Amino acid sequence: MLRIGVVGLRRGLTYLRLARLMEDRVRIVAACDKNNKMIDLARKEFPNISYYRSFKDLLRDSRVEAVVIATPMPLHAEQSIKCLRAGKHVLCEVAAFMREDEAEPLIKTVEETDLIYMLAENVVYTRPNLMVWNMVEKGVFGELVYAEGDYIHDCKSLNFKEDGTLTWRGRIRRELTGNTYPTHAVGPVAKWLGIGVKDKFLELASFSSGSRALPLYVREKFGSSHPGSDRGFWRQGDMVVTLIRTEQERLILLRYDTASNRPHIPTTHHLLQGTKAAYLSPRWSGDDPLIWIEGESGSDWENLWRYAERFEHPLWVEKAKGLGHGGGDYIVFSEFINSVRTGRSAINVYEASAWSMIIPLSKKSEESGGKPVKFPEYLWIY
Amino acid sequence: MLRIGVVGLRRGLTYLRLARLMEDRVRIVAACDKNNKMIDLARKEFPNISYYRSFKDLLRDSRVEAVVIATPMPLHAEQSIKCLRAGKHVLCEVAAFMREDEAEPLIKTVEETDLIYMLAENVVYTRPNLMVWNMVEKGVFGELVYAEGDYIHDCKSLNFKEDGTLTWRGRIRRELTGNTYPTHAVGPVAKWLGIGVKDKFLELASFSSGSRALPLYVREKFGSSHPGSDRGFWRQGDMVVTLIRTEQERLILLRYDTASNRPHIPTTHHLLQGTKAAYLSPRWSGDDPLIWIEGESGSDWENLWRYAERFEHPLWVEKAKGLGHGGGDYIVFSEFINSVRTGRSAINVYEASAWSMIIPLSKKSEESGGKPVKFPEYLWIY
């Protein structure tokens, strides 16, 4: 039985609810949020948890063995380090960090404390992504050559409070260029390719469109007196495309667009091309995922689910499906509990850092006009 | 009535057949091919055409007012210039040229001769691409922000003669890096964005995977004694991704893959994102093209054909459909005849050069490790 504390209740409530379904393995004993409203809301549903307004108080709670960090992204690295230094395992929501100089301290802290650090990247654990991973492991794809991961999700409204002032997400769009939310896109791909296990990211280059949909939205919603109605206000473009080259000469294409007007389900898209098979995720709710396997599929694509019986991933459980992010939320939490038990993180700090490193490196590439930028060597331990 | 000569009968036969359907507007009077077998084949079907074994003889035929160039790609620029210098209009199969130093002489020759030069880029004229173009012109997409064009078509077998020696296509794969066949992918996108009319390509960067599927194919087909069974034999990778930035801050993503094992219908894919609408082409034969229009489509994508009645492009004719390349072959030929009549090329030498320039510039970018490379200023006259 793992005793857990949750930091940040807006997203954290999901974990409180998930824990009820795993009562034999985990218990949430404490939670903290600086917003009293969120605490009141959570307390109604979960009265038997200790609530703190301060992160420090949660760290002092000696019952807490592990912490789920579900706060805004810019806080993740610092809070992860503090939890580890306080002797607590960490499950951290994505991304692991946003600045390049946060990576080494985080990695060192995990190494020195010898505690479990896991990134809560749920898209790795959706049903189709797990199945593709299983097929890769079984050699169905042959040698992997090319992969794509997208995060395309119209989140314009999340950039603003009701009065039009910027949220932390809005400040990121205003201040940063590049792909600032890459892990949903790259996570499954990195697992398929064995990044950090038998291949590594060498370098990336990143390119953006201008900022168009967001200033238009601001003008319509808050009027043209809002400074965000001006294109120049936003450094981040609507669409960001990042290309990553790996040591094994694989090419990875990532798309990030949280501004453009278009339907956003599914919010993630993936593609995998091997020498013997290829996978294409759905474009929209009306599509099925497609697979083509040499020697099996004939001359056209097939529905991936045809292969469910043969290639369902052992981690997939049907009950996960309705529990958020295509089942990923449930499995990520379950995998974290397993990680603590076995002493081996399902998404370890090196993987988390390699995936999150795309944030500062894509910014650097964009700022240099699209020049390729190298990944640091300390990310790789294999 | 336009009197036409066709150079290169392998692809050129298509034009002989199309001309029969436009007997009131065009007549093919001559054709040339250096391969007697191709001439014999054509003569059986079209006995009333003059056949030449030499390109020079065709140029000397004073009845020929316009030439369709359907020879291997490396010959296009030189033959186009010779036709123009001989006083004949040119419809040139893609690409317009392969080397950067061929662009200016071609452009100058068109300017000096004041004849019609048109690139035979048929994918511009498929039904969905025409319809999207029409919607763009009518303002349905709002401001255009991002676009994609792919050419993904397993052509491994075309790289080899029966004995395993390389065809001209095979020599290109062996000798060049980058996207060596970009116009099917970029053509429709460039028309939608008004490249050369109100926007221009600023620079591109290009990245490739390693060469994997092709050496595997060679080993299986010709044995491991064939030098092409070695990865290092091929300079071009399986997948080539090229990013183009435009002056209006649009971003264009091009994919080129003629090596990977996967179903290849449709061989082209396109995507367009505007501030008010978005378009997604089919992934495979089982899909319909998808459109989303702000204020019309609700929260999910719709079938593009729902809008056929409102937005069918006036150039689209139903009878074109079965006549090759999704109707594009018929319309491109028809547009060429119109171009000569009106004195205004439907795909002029500046557009043809901008699109074809991706070949040498993507090579240059790849050779520099993915650095962005600028498009030359002489491509733009607006």
Side-chain angles (χ1 to χ4, degrees), chain A residues 51-190:
Chain A
Y51 291 95
Y52 303 107
R53 285 209 61 226
S54 121
F55 176 57
K56 272 188 193 160
D57 290 340
L58 182 116
L59 289 188
R60 281 198 205 100
D61 188 329
S62 61
R63 297 168 307 160
V64 172
E65 298 169 285
V67 176
V68 174
I69 296 175
T71 50
M73 208 155 54
L75 304 174
H76 288 180
E78 190 191 326
Q79 291 184 333
S80 294
I81 290 171
K82 283 183 176 163
C83 288
L84 292 161
R85 289 289 171 210
K88 298 171 196 309
H89 305 290
V90 168
L91 175 65
C92 185
E93 278 288 338
V94 302
F97 53 79
M98 298 199 69
R99 297 198 323 267
E100 196 174 350
D101 63 7
E102 293 174 312
E104 275 195 283
L106 177 63
I107 291 172
K108 274 195 185 137
T109 306
V110 175
E111 287 172 348
E112 286 169 16
T113 59
D114 206 21
L115 291 160
I116 289 297
Y117 171 93
M118 177 176 163
L119 189 72
E121 180 39 69
N122 42 47
V123 181
V124 167
Y125 299 110
T126 64
R127 190 180 173 208
N129 288 347
L130 279 171
M131 204 182 295
V132 169
W133 191 6
N134 197 23
M135 293 168 103
V136 168
E137 298 280 314
K138 295 212 157 82
V140 173
F141 278 82
E143 192 175 346
L144 305 183
V145 180
Y146 174 72
E148 292 182 9
D150 301 349
Y151 186 72
I152 298 180
H153 183 181
D154 178 1
C155 297
K156 284 194 288 294
S157 65
L158 299 182
N159 294 306
F160 307 95
K161 296 179 189 159
E162 271 180 35
D163 62 358
T165 56
L166 300 184
T167 61
W168 62 270
R169 284 190 178 86
R171 287 195 300 274
I172 286 174
R173 284 205 84 87
R174 169 151 168 69
E175 291 161 18
L176 300 185
T177 58
N179 184 333
T180 50
Y181 200 58
T183 68
H184 291 329
V186 81
V189 165

Side-chain angles (χ1 to χ4, degrees), chain B residues 17 76 109 136 142 184 191 195 249 257 305 325 336 341 360:
Chain B
R17 287 171 187 148
H76 288 180
T109 306
V136 168
H184 291 329
K191 284 293 193 184
I195 299 298
E249 298 191 329
D257 182 347
W305 306 130
H325 291 93
F336 176 62
R341 191 173 49 76

Side-chain angles (χ1 to χ4, degrees), chain B residues 126-133 192 279 282 289 304-305 312 316 326:
Chain B
T126 64
R127 189 180 174 207
N129 289 347
L130 279 172
M131 203 182 296
V132 169
W133 192 5
W192 299 339
Y279 166 70
L304 177 68
W305 306 130
E312 193 83 80
W316 177 252

Side-chain angles (χ1 to χ4, degrees), chain B residues 82-97:
Chain B
K82 284 183 175 162
C83 289
L84 292 162
R85 289 289 171 209
K88 297 170 196 310
H89 304 290
V90 168
L91 176 65
C92 185
E93 277 288 338
V94 302
F97 53 80

Side-chain angles (χ1 to χ4, degrees), chain B residues 199-220:
Chain B
D199 195 8
K200 52 181 158 185
F201 299 150
L202 284 186
E203 53 184 2
L204 66 69
S206 197
F207 292 78
S208 299
S209 73
S211 177
R212 295 293 180 271
L214 191 55
L216 214 63
Y217 170 88
V218 173
R219 201 172 314 143
E220 279 164 19

Side-chain angles (χ1 to χ4, degrees), chain A residues 130-379:
Chain A
L130 279 171
M131 204 182 295
V132 169
W133 191 6
N134 197 23
M135 293 168 103
V136 168
E137 298 280 314
K138 295 212 157 82
V140 173
F141 278 82
E143 192 175 346
L144 305 183
V145 180
Y146 174 72
E148 292 182 9
D150 301 349
Y151 186 72
I152 298 180
H153 183 181
D154 178 1
C155 297
K156 284 194 288 294
S157 65
L158 299 182
N159 294 306
F160 307 95
K161 296 179 189 159
E162 271 180 35
D163 62 358
T165 56
L166 300 184
T167 61
W168 62 270
R169 284 190 178 86
R171 287 195 300 274
I172 286 174
R173 284 205 84 87
R174 169 151 168 69
E175 291 161 18
L176 300 185
T177 58
N179 184 333
T180 50
Y181 200 58
T183 68
H184 291 329
V186 81
V189 165
K191 283 294 192 183
W192 298 339
L193 268 55
I195 300 299
V197 180
K198 51 191 176 185
D199 195 8
K200 52 181 159 184
F201 300 150
L202 285 186
E203 53 184 2
L204 65 70
S206 196
F207 292 79
S208 299
S209 73
S211 177
R212 295 293 180 272
L214 190 55
L216 213 63
Y217 170 88
V218 173
R219 201 171 315 142
E220 279 164 20
K221 176 129 186 173
F222 302 110
S224 55
S225 64
H226 190 297
S229 66
D230 188 71
R231 290 172 179 183
F233 184 80
W234 308 99
R235 292 197 67 197
Q236 192 169 50
D238 288 0
M239 172 59 89
V240 181
V241 177
T242 306
L243 291 163
I244 304 176
R245 226 199 294 266
T246 81
E247 192 176 49
Q248 301 293 323
E249 298 191 329
R250 281 91 161 256
L251 184 64
I252 302 167
L253 166 66
L254 305 178
R255 294 184 196 80
Y256 167 83
D257 182 347
T258 56
S260 289
N261 292 317
R262 61 181 261 188
H264 60 260
I265 294 177
T267 56
T268 59
H269 299 263
H270 288 90
L271 177 154
L272 182 63
Q273 179 69 57
T275 52
K276 295 183 179 305
Y279 166 71
L280 274 179
S281 72
R283 296 170 302 168
W284 71 310
S285 55
D287 284 344
D288 275 308
L290 298 176
I291 187 91
W292 176 84
I293 305 174
E294 192 181 58
E296 300 225 23
S297 300
S299 64
D300 218 336
W301 297 90
E302 295 184 279
N303 191 315
L304 176 69
W305 305 130
R306 271 205 56 199
Y307 291 90
E309 210 171 309
R310 266 166 74 193
F311 294 116
E312 194 83 79
H313 196 290
L315 279 180
W316 177 252
V317 282
E318 205 52 44
K319 71 168 171 180
K321 207 166 186 175
L323 302 173
H325 291 92
D329 282 351
Y330 178 86
I331 299 177
V332 103
F333 199 24
S334 171
E335 279 294 274
F336 175 62
I337 301 163
N338 284 345
S339 297
V340 172
R341 191 174 48 78
T342 62
R344 210 164 158 263
S345 173
I347 302 178
N348 67 34
V349 72
Y350 306 99
E351 295 174 284
S353 299
W355 306 355
S356 305
M357 190 57 77
I358 294 165
I359 299 174
L361 296 193
S362 62
K363 173 173 177 281
K364 203 188 266 188
S365 173
E366 299 258 358
E367 286 175 349
S368 76
K371 283 194 192 128
V373 175
K374 287 197 193 319
F375 283 79
E377 268 300 317
Y378 62 75
L379 295 171

